[in-house]
């Protein structure tokens, strides 16, 4: 990103893929914003820009700011992320840190450390919020990972299912004959085959 592009982005204000942050904000706030951008479609976090678009600049050197951001990305985001870091000097000599979060993060959902817990965040316009259970489930699906709510239940077997509902599922949904009631092996094989698709 060049200086003219950066100034145009700032002039357009915050949006779903652009967030402004002061250099002196808490690391948890940075981690939250970074993870939310990663969980959406990527974007830019501009460090040293106020919410109203005025440029306050970095309060630390380029190198210190870069190390600070990379440390947050490594230790306060799960799985850790590697943002693209750029530092741009404005005409009046102020530094702005540009943190680019890739839209192609393969390991969604990304979680941010907030206090002692790891939380999945997402963006709705310019607002960062805790992802709902459904939103988090969709992030797992998008990454082709097992959704946390679909994990196997220990010590559960065929005897724990409502056989009448299963028979109805085969007849009404799958439009095929269910296995014979007494044929436990066929039932197990049919359900496993269905679940692995």
């Amino acid at each position: 990103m060049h200086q003219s592009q950066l100034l145009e982005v700032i002039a357009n204000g915050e949006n779903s893929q652009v967030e402004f942050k002061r250099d002196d904000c808490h690391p948890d706030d940075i981690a939250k914003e970074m993870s939310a951008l990663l969980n959406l479609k990527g974007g830019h976090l501009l460090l040293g820009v106020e919410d109203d678009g005025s440029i306050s600049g970095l309060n630390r050197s380029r190198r210190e700011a870069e190390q600070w951001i990379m440390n947050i990305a490594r230790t306060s985001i799960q799985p850790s992320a590697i943002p693209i870091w750029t530092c741009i000097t404005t005409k009046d000599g102020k530094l702005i840190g540009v943190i680019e979060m890739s839209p192609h993060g393969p390991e969604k959902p990304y979680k941010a450390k907030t206090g002692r817990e790891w939380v999945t965040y997402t963006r709705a316009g310019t607002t960062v919020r805790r992802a709902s259970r459904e939103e988090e489930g969709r992030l797992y699906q998008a990454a082709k990972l097992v959704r946390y709510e679909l994990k196997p239940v220990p010590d559960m077997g065929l005897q724990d299912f409502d056989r009448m509902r299963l028979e109805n599922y085969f007849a009404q949904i799958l439009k095929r004959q269910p296995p014979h009631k007494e044929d436990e092996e066929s039932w197990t094989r049919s359900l496993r085959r269905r679940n692995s698709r």
Side-chain angles (χ1 to χ4, degrees):
M1 185 180 289
H2 299 291
Q3 188 185 82
S4 58
Q5 293 172 308
L6 175 62
L7 295 176
E8 186 178 332
V9 167
I10 292 170
N12 288 329
E14 293 179 314
N15 59 51
S16 295
Q17 293 182 281
V18 175
E19 177 67 26
F20 301 157
K21 279 288 174 204
R22 294 175 58 105
D23 179 350
D24 60 358
C25 65
H26 194 278
D28 286 358
D29 291 335
I30 297 287
K32 185 191 304 186
E33 297 292 349
M34 288 167 65
S35 67
L37 287 169
L38 285 165
N39 286 331
L40 187 62
K41 293 181 179 177
H44 293 88
L45 180 60
L46 304 181
L47 195 61
V49 180
E50 304 292 320
D51 284 339
D52 64 3
S54 60
I55 299 170
S56 52
L58 297 179
N59 296 322
R60 55 189 99 199
S61 72
R62 289 173 187 251
R63 185 165 176 76
E64 289 172 332
E66 178 182 6
Q67 288 175 342
W68 184 60
I69 291 300
M70 294 304 168
N71 187 50
I72 292 169
R74 185 171 177 260
T75 62
S76 297
I77 296 178
Q78 268 186 353
S80 61
I82 303 174
I84 296 170
W85 167 262
T86 311
C87 203
I88 296 174
T89 306
T90 63
K91 288 179 183 175
D92 58 357
K94 292 182 179 172
L95 290 175
I96 299 173
V98 180
I99 305 153
E100 183 180 345
M101 307 309 294
S102 171
H104 306 296
E107 301 182 52
K108 293 178 183 181
Y110 287 87
K111 296 176 182 283
K113 191 168 189 182
T114 305
R116 292 185 176 188
E117 66 177 326
W118 292 93
V119 179
T120 302
Y121 290 100
T122 187
R123 285 181 76 86
T126 61
T127 305
V128 172
R129 65 175 189 219
R130 190 181 283 249
S132 68
R133 182 177 176 169
E134 292 78 19
E135 288 169 327
E136 192 168 14
R138 284 194 293 272
L139 288 167
Y140 276 104
Q141 279 183 318
K144 295 184 171 55
L145 298 172
V146 175
R147 289 170 39 194
Y148 64 93
E149 70 265 27
L150 297 180
K151 288 183 180 174
V153 178
D155 301 324
M156 186 173 177
L158 190 57
Q159 72 279 0
D160 297 305
F161 286 97
D162 182 334
R163 196 65 64 96
M164 187 184 266
R165 285 186 183 220
L166 285 176
E167 289 173 2
N168 186 47
Y169 174 74
F170 273 80
Q172 300 297 318
I173 306 298
L174 300 179
K175 306 287 188 210
R176 65 184 175 110
Q177 203 57 23
H180 189 271
K181 288 183 189 226
E182 307 301 322
D183 190 353
E184 301 285 322
E185 190 176 321
S186 290
W187 271 106
T188 303
R189 195 171 43 251
S190 293
L191 292 171
R192 281 190 180 144
R193 185 172 52 239
R194 201 65 211 147
N195 195 35
S196 65
R197 288 181 184 167

